[in-house]
Structure formats: structure tokens, C-alpha cells
Amino acid sequence: MKECYLNGDYVDLADAKVSVLDRGFIFGEGIYEVIGVHSRKPFALSLHLERLDLNLSEMGLSNPLSSEAWSSLISNLISRNGCAFGTIYIQITRGKAPRNHEFPKASCPTVFVMISESAAKTELEKVIAITAEDERWRGCHIKTTSLFANTRLRNLATSKGAAEAILQYGGYLTEGASSSVFIVSNDGVIYTSPLDSNILPGITREIVIRLSVSMGVPVIEEKIEISRLRTANEIWLTNTSFGIRCVSRLDEGIVGDGQQYEVAQRFHKQLSIEKGIMP
Ligand code: PDD
């Protein structure tokens, strides 16, 4: 049995039900979080809860739970499901209301949390990526459940035998369809797109930037012309689910030498140590 949390109760995932009038179902109006679980512990929980808070205020909702309550809910789900490695998924919508574009005067948010188990990975993975036009709205800093543009772009990548679509807007890199993007130039400098409404403030991105300071190779946040990816030595994708991945082929071109991604290896190792999955 797999248990989830829905509006105050722990229930079997197969039995969890929400109304068809839920604004998350009708309008895709909801926000979400994905939090890594490593050795039965949530990773970077406070950063995820801070982002959740910001997203709730974007929606004009107050946080239904205190940080302490979130923390014990998450610990409960981990132990009730006996999950050692995986991800916690939180989704909050404005709840059920008669269909109307206007926000209801009073709302009772739907709060849903589930856990997915996955194997712990310690190897740095290499994947193929394509570039694509960023066709999303200009509110990408909000972690909204309205993800059709993202899922469409990820599926475009899949249809071309790639794992991710790296997006450009106005000739500049934004991010991946489901990841943040970093590049390492020929002279070893690490760059990533600056935080604005074109990208999600990724938690893994934030942790990589913090690590870069302590590792003495600070990441530069600046607008990156998409053409710079063609000459980069390394291209990284980062997210909560997989940590750091290297792009070995972008469109038709090999990235770097296609084999050794030394800077990524160092960051991948350091991130794994932070997560407690490498000594
Ligand atoms: N997505 N940008 C986008 C568009 C994303 O969907 C994600 C992650 C990220 C990286 O954010 P973080 O480091 O906080 O995971 C950046 C998650 C994993 C998802 O939708 O499942």
C-alpha cells in the first residue's frame, strides 16, 4: 500500500480523490514542490519550504501549514511508506469552486502530498539534449502545475531521442523544460542564466551556486546567448530528481570531448556528499 496525504488525512494513494470542480483540475491553477529524499531524510527542506511560501503568495494563498507541520508531515510520509530514496511531491490548489475565471471570495485549498521511491544514483549521468524555442508564459519563476508547455517540450525532446529540451527565448538560454542549465566555458568559467520571470529559481541551481563559492569557482549569473552552448566545454542540467547531469550531445554536436566532464564530476561529487549519499 502506498500512502499519501490529502487535506489532513493519510490515505491510500489509490483512494485519494478530489472534486472535478477543483480549480487545479479546471484551470490548472495550482503550485507544487518536488523535494529529494536521501537516506530517509528530505534534502534542503528549508529552501523548498521557502519557495513554496513564495509561490503561495503569488497565488494569494496563505500557507496552510507551519514549517514544523510540513516537516513532520514529510517525515511521517517517509516512514509510513518506508522510503529510503525518492521524491516528495506537494501540490496545493485554490480548491473547489463553481467554474469562474475570477478567484472565489473564500477558498479552501486542496493540499496533496505523495512520495515516489527511486534508486539512489551515484554515477554522473550523460544525456542527449536538443535546443527548442521557449514557448512558455513569462511567469516561469512560479512553480505552477500548468505544465503543458513544459511537457510538450520534453516530449519534443523524447521524440528526437533526447532526454531534455534546452530552451531559448529571444536568442538567449532560459532553462530546460524540467531543469536548470549551467555551462562551463573553454577557460573553465561556470555560467547560468540570471533569476527572472523566464526561469524557475531551481533549488539544485541554488545549491550548486552555494557550493561553487565554497569550491572557489564561483558561478557567474548572466544572460547567455544560445550560440555559446555550441562552444561550451560542458553543459549541465540540474534538478531535484537527478541532481546534476551532463549533456554529451546537443542537437547534432558533441559537447566538449563527449567523455570527460571534469568540472561537473567535481560538483556532482560535492553535491552527493551534501546529500549524504557519498562519503
Ligand atoms: N522540476 N526548471 C524547471 C522548468 C523545472 O521543472 C525544474 C524541476 C527545475 C529545477 O528545479 P529544482 O532544482 O528545484 O528541482 C528548473 C521538477 C523536478 C519537476 O517538475 O518534477
Side-chain angles (χ1 to χ4, degrees):
M1 187 179 75
K2 209 168 172 194
E3 274 191 3
C4 65
Y5 170 97
L6 182 62
N7 299 329
D9 296 315
Y10 293 95
V11 291
D12 192 334
L13 185 62
D15 296 333
K17 300 215 173 12
V18 293
S19 167
V20 289
L21 287 179
D22 193 286
R23 290 179 69 95
F25 182 67
I26 296 286
F27 292 115
E29 193 185 278
I31 50 121
Y32 76 107
E33 262 307 318
V34 180
I35 304 167
V37 176
H38 305 288
S39 310
R40 299 183 186 277
K41 289 195 190 71
F43 180 63
L45 182 59
S46 54
L47 290 177
H48 284 281
L49 292 181
E50 266 171 41
R51 186 171 66 182
L52 182 72
D53 232 13
L54 288 174
N55 282 305
L56 283 166
S57 27
E58 288 280 359
M59 278 187 61
L61 292 177
S62 49
N63 199 326
L65 298 175
S66 65
S67 296
E68 294 72 31
W70 277 117
S71 183
S72 61
L73 190 171
I74 287 166
S75 304
N76 285 344
L77 264 193
I78 292 172
S79 56
R80 290 173 92 105
N81 287 281
C83 175
F85 292 93
T87 48
I88 294 276
Y89 175 86
I90 300 175
Q91 175 166 338
I92 302 174
T93 74
R94 207 181 297 279
K96 173 183 155 188
R99 187 181 182 278
N100 184 340
H101 281 64
E102 251 175 56
F103 298 151
K105 297 266 175 304
S107 56
C108 181
T110 299
V111 182
F112 171 62
V113 189
M114 68 174 171
I115 193 162
S116 307
E117 195 150 19
S118 58
K121 289 193 192 111
T122 47
E123 287 292 295
L124 175 68
E125 292 176 302
K126 293 170 197 158
V127 296
I128 296 170
I130 59 161
T131 49
E133 200 55 43
D134 195 340
E135 55 189 28
R136 302 172 303 162
W137 70 322
R138 310 272 60 90
C140 295
H141 60 295
I142 305 171
K143 199 162 171 64
T144 167
T145 54
S146 309
L147 285 174
F148 179 51
N150 301 64
T151 57
R152 193 156 83 146
L153 286 159
R154 254 292 283 282
N155 282 276
L156 175 71
T158 311
S159 71
K160 296 186 173 180
E164 180 62 305
I166 294 181
L167 310 176
Q168 59 169 324
Y169 184 67
Y172 290 92
L173 166 71
T174 55
E175 61 180 342
S178 59
S179 57
S180 310
V181 178
F182 291 78
I183 65 168
V184 182
S185 64
N186 288 330
D187 47 2
V189 183
I190 313 170
Y191 299 89
T192 196
S193 309
L195 291 183
D196 58 21
S197 61
N198 292 321
I199 70 164
L200 183 81
I203 301 299
T204 322
R205 173 190 182 279
E206 176 62 28
I207 294 167
V208 165
I209 290 173
R210 289 182 188 189
L211 285 177
S212 79
V213 176
S214 57
M215 290 165 73
V217 269
V219 171
I220 296 176
E221 295 170 74
E222 68 175 28
K223 285 181 70 133
I224 300 165
E225 278 175 33
I226 200 75
S227 57
R228 285 171 61 188
L229 273 69
R230 315 255 171 242
T231 54
N233 256 9
E234 300 184 14
I235 301 175
W236 313 344
L237 308 173
T238 68
N239 80 15
T240 294
S241 307
F242 56 65
I244 300 180
R245 274 180 176 169
C246 272
V247 176
S248 55
R249 184 150 64 83
L250 182 68
D251 298 325
E252 296 315 314
I254 301 292
V255 181
D257 65 3
Q259 304 279 335
Q260 301 296 326
Y261 298 112
E262 277 165 34
V263 189
Q265 289 285 3
R266 282 176 51 212
F267 275 79
H268 172 69
K269 184 168 176 215
Q270 206 54 44
L271 183 62
S272 303
I273 292 170
E274 290 283 311
K275 289 176 178 175
I277 54 178
M278 241 188 220

